[in-house]
Amino acid sequence: MAVTRFAPSPTGYLHIGGARTALFDLLLARKTSGKFILRIEDTDQSRNSPTAAKQVMDDLRWLGIEWDHGPDVGGPGEPYFQSQRLDIYNKYIDQLISDEKAYYCFDTPEELTQMRDKAAAAKKNFLYPRPSQFPTEKQADQARADGRPVAVRFCMTDDDIIVEDSVRGRVKFSGKELSDFIIRKSDGFPTYHLACVVDDELMGVTHIIRGQEHLMNTPGHIALQKALGFKTLVYAHMALTVSEGGGKMSKRDKAKVLKDAIKSANPDKEKIASVGNISIQDFDDFLKGNSTPDNPAIDAMAEFLGIKLPEINIVDFFKSGYIPEALVNFIALLGYSPPTDKEILTLDELIETFDLSRLSKTNSLFDRKKLLAFNMEHMKLLSEEKLLQRYKDFLSGTNSPASADDKLLLRILKACEGARTLAEVEFKSSFLFVDANNIKYDQKSVEKVFLKNSGQGLAMLAELKQQLLDLKEVSEKSIEDMLRNLAERKEVGLGKVAQPLRLAICGTTVSLPIFEAVDMLGIEETVKRIDNAISKFSGKTL
Ligand code: GLU
């Protein structure tokens, strides 16, 4: 029975790496009939954003990653926000101090930088010089009164520390090469290391699955566990997920695309900085590559420029029309191979077959084409009601004008079977929700379909109009018959009839199947759009 926890620091949106960690935590807990805990690690006062914890929780729930204990649902380890557990941490820190396993230190950031620079100049690992005699409580009070920062450091062991890692095997660290590290900062908050070790013990956690960037922290955690008399846990440090351009998937991927777009569009600097709600200084730093603005700023600037950024955060995938079932399946296969020959798996199937020993040591590629294919497959697998719900959720998160009763939305979804994303469904059906006078015609299609061959397409439209008006009974079938007959009579392929009609009613040559599109729109509206197109483009030449 495994007790796992996902412990995000709420500094931004939940990104794909965090979601993967949370998912594996969930899979292991469910597979072993254990418990899955959500713990919010909000002890870094300078980096926390008040809305981020909520966003992370919303994103997890959207993915279907539900926690047994944690914020909102409670549990025996309450509270689950670390910022509300300071008394607990202080008790353990004080115990370490009185056991002489931790000590006060009063260095300013400048002094620490000097020490580090000195070590770097001597090509040595920085090891904090542990005082031979530890400062007393009184000296700590005096330092505070003198305005010095008062922190607490843990006495790192000199022994070797072995991490038995489920992914990497046995990893040995020499305690001698590891520095005494801070467990309480001068602002009175514990560091991540202390809080995480204490909470994992108190919350009964048995397995830690996390990204490989934390492997370096693990010997310190194990040393702390020993010093506090806690048990050691099972660790699994997952390999990286890299983006197609190489390098770790991160918000920098988005930033890079945005930066290139800004450089080529060369927009008004003040305007775009204000759209992103950042200072000109920050904007310049961003263009020079010195810093990366936060996500909302990046997204706002991209939207302003009308460019699409690669999705990184879960909410990005939601906005691009992915469904959670597909994302969960896809991220489960990043660095993990299930013991099945199927690739398309539901959450239940992933749980059923989960095997921690099948996590891979090698980095995995975030293959966006594969994700699109997965999304298409999972959209087909969903029940009608579920797909409708997903589509309505998607529409509510966009500025889409699509608003319709469930019957029409279901009809649209059916007509769009085989679409790769919900955004594609929305795009293909958007003609139903715009006013005839507001259709934006794609220029290239107008030239190709209407104007080429001396306006053959437009001439076809005029004939079509009459045929539509003459239809005795309107149905998909009668529209189809009429279009096919017309094509036959004119001795042209169906496309030569269907494409001008499609362009007239949608403004593009991509839409729902044409017979259905006309039927949904209705004859009156279709004819209106044909009239509009004829009057707008007749007389125009290439
Ligand atoms: N708060 C840490 C993070 O977000 C948790 C790491 C861990 O799982 O121990 O990276």
Side-chain angles (χ1 to χ4, degrees):
M1 225 184 66
V3 178
T4 60
R5 78 333 184 245
F6 177 51
S9 307
T11 50
Y13 293 98
L14 179 65
H15 56 82
I16 210 76
R20 182 176 65 141
T21 304
L23 177 62
F24 286 131
D25 280 318
L26 177 83
L27 294 180
L28 181 62
R30 293 278 173 274
K31 168 76 189 181
T32 60
S33 309
K35 292 279 179 249
F36 170 54
I37 299 170
L38 175 66
R39 181 171 79 222
I40 306 294
E41 301 208 325
D42 55 350
T43 56
D44 189 343
Q45 291 297 79
S46 59
R47 293 179 64 221
N48 284 333
S49 122
T51 50
K54 181 170 178 328
Q55 182 68 44
V56 166
M57 293 197 280
D58 287 349
D59 291 346
L60 287 172
R61 284 194 169 120
W62 179 72
L63 285 169
I65 300 180
E66 301 274 349
W67 48 101
D68 302 304
H69 303 314
D72 289 354
V73 297
E78 269 180 324
Y80 290 98
F81 283 86
Q82 288 190 327
S83 59
Q84 295 167 18
R85 300 172 61 84
L86 297 195
D87 290 350
I88 301 174
Y89 307 129
N90 281 332
K91 193 182 109 203
Y92 287 99
I93 294 169
D94 293 343
Q95 182 193 321
L96 287 170
I97 296 173
S98 71
D99 291 350
E100 301 218 308
K101 291 177 179 167
Y103 56 90
Y104 291 109
C105 55
F106 316 125
D107 314 280
T108 63
E110 296 74 32
E111 286 163 347
L112 281 170
T113 309
Q114 255 179 24
M115 287 186 229
R116 284 206 181 91
D117 288 351
K118 223 166 122 192
K123 297 210 169 21
K124 280 196 178 142
N125 229 349
F126 169 67
L127 290 180
Y128 185 81
R130 188 184 302 168
S132 49
Q133 190 135 37
F134 292 166
T136 60
E137 198 73 41
K138 238 174 151 182
Q139 285 168 316
D141 287 342
Q142 186 57 48
R144 265 186 216 107
D146 295 345
R148 291 189 75 85
V150 176
V152 176
R153 273 181 197 266
F154 173 65
C155 297
M156 188 61 192
T157 175
D158 278 347
D159 297 343
D160 284 350
I161 297 172
I162 310 287
V163 181
E164 296 285 359
D165 192 276
S166 305
V167 178
R168 293 160 195 277
R170 215 158 195 253
V171 191
K172 190 165 127 184
F173 292 87
S174 160
K176 287 198 191 75
E177 286 166 26
L178 300 170
S179 182
D180 290 353
F181 56 90
I182 294 184
I183 52 176
R184 183 164 63 207
K185 296 172 281 184
S186 57
D187 64 3
F189 278 72
T191 54
Y192 149 66
H193 308 293
L194 185 282
C196 159
V197 164
V198 167
D199 287 347
D200 287 340
E201 169 78 11
L202 297 187
M203 295 177 184
V205 170
T206 59
H207 289 68
I208 307 274
I209 305 177
R210 59 187 176 198
Q212 72 171 26
E213 67 276 16
H214 286 291
L215 182 61
M216 282 307 295
N217 295 327
T218 306
H221 293 187
I222 292 178
L224 258 177
Q225 286 157 356
K226 287 213 170 108
L228 287 164
F230 295 168
K231 59 185 179 320
T232 287
L233 313 166
V234 180
Y235 288 93
H237 288 93
M238 296 180 298
L240 288 181
T241 298
V242 294
S243 44
E244 271 143 343
K248 188 178 165 184
M249 288 265 296
S250 77
K251 73 173 179 182
R252 277 181 286 275
D253 293 345
K254 283 177 130 182
K256 186 178 175 315
V257 175
L258 177 63
K259 204 185 323 174
D260 292 348
I262 292 177
K263 281 184 178 157
S264 70
N266 202 11
D268 175 356
K269 201 154 107 172
E270 300 214 344
K271 174 80 197 148
I272 186 147
S274 81
V275 167
N277 203 8
I278 57 174
S279 67
I280 297 281
Q281 175 69 44
D282 285 349
F283 181 78
D284 284 339
D285 280 349
F286 168 48
L287 283 199
K288 278 190 218 133
N290 297 339
S291 68
T292 310
D294 283 339
N295 239 304
I298 290 184
D299 288 345
M301 291 190 275
E303 196 178 323
F304 175 72
L305 293 176
I307 53 162
K308 178 139 175 44
L309 301 179
E311 300 90 356
I312 300 291
N313 297 319
I314 295 306
V315 68
D316 300 334
F317 291 96
F318 163 71
K319 286 189 182 149
S320 293
Y322 289 90
I323 59 169
E325 290 78 4
L327 259 183
V328 158
N329 186 173
F330 180 75
I331 57 183
L333 304 189
L334 293 173
Y336 169 68
S337 51
T340 59
D341 23 340
K342 295 208 298 181
E343 268 209 317
I344 300 295
L345 296 160
T346 63
L347 182 58
D348 285 343
E349 289 169 324
L350 285 165
I351 291 170
E352 214 169 287
T353 54
F354 188 65
D355 178 354
L356 188 62
S357 70
R358 298 181 71 95
L359 284 179
S360 123
K361 248 195 250 193
T362 45
N363 293 345
S364 49
L365 175 73
F366 195 89
D367 179 348
R368 289 176 188 271
K369 281 206 193 80
K370 184 167 164 177
L371 173 59
L372 274 173
F374 271 39
N375 206 57
M376 180 175 86
E377 292 304 328
H378 276 281
M379 278 172 62
K380 284 193 204 153
L381 282 180
L382 283 194
S383 67
E384 251 183 20
E385 304 87 78
K386 203 72 188 268
L387 185 60
L388 176 64
Q389 193 49 53
R390 295 282 175 238
Y391 190 42
K392 282 160 85 171
D393 290 347
F394 166 75
L395 291 176
S396 69
T398 65
N399 297 325
S400 167
S403 61
D405 58 19
D406 289 0
K407 230 170 108 195
L408 180 56
L409 290 182
L410 271 174
R411 190 167 176 201
I412 291 171
L413 284 165
K414 218 178 204 140
C416 286
E417 204 186 293
R420 294 180 307 170
T421 63
L422 295 172
E424 194 178 317
V425 175
E426 197 262 339
F427 178 75
K428 282 187 170 168
S429 60
S430 58
F431 72 98
L432 291 168
F433 306 97
V434 287
D435 188 85
N437 300 319
N438 287 337
I439 294 179
K440 289 196 183 64
Y441 293 92
D442 172 53
Q443 196 49 38
K444 282 222 170 72
S445 305
V446 166
E447 287 167 14
K448 189 168 158 228
V449 177
F450 284 164
L451 308 182
K452 227 172 80 181
N453 297 332
S454 328
Q456 207 183 43
L458 273 186
M460 187 66 82
L461 269 187
E463 293 221 24
L464 261 171
K465 172 184 164 182
Q466 201 45 52
Q467 300 268 336
L468 282 167
L469 287 171
D470 290 347
L471 276 181
K472 294 216 168 54
E473 171 247 322
V474 180
S475 68
E476 248 176 80
K477 172 86 175 61
S478 65
I479 296 165
E480 175 169 2
D481 289 346
M482 182 274 281
L483 288 176
R484 288 195 190 281
N485 286 340
L486 184 61
E488 215 165 285
R489 270 206 322 275
K490 296 274 168 192
E491 295 180 348
V492 292
L494 181 63
K496 286 270 185 293
V497 185
Q499 285 300 63
L501 180 58
R502 202 191 288 273
L503 184 57
I505 64 175
C506 306
T508 82
T509 48
V510 188
S511 82
L512 308 181
I514 186 67
F515 319 126
E516 197 155 11
V518 173
D519 190 32
M520 282 191 204
L521 200 57
I523 298 296
E524 195 182 324
E525 180 67 21
T526 304
V527 165
K528 193 163 153 197
R529 293 182 186 201
I530 290 176
D531 283 341
N532 276 0
I534 293 176
S535 72
K536 193 169 165 98
F537 298 108
S538 59
K540 298 243 160 63
T541 43
L542 278 176

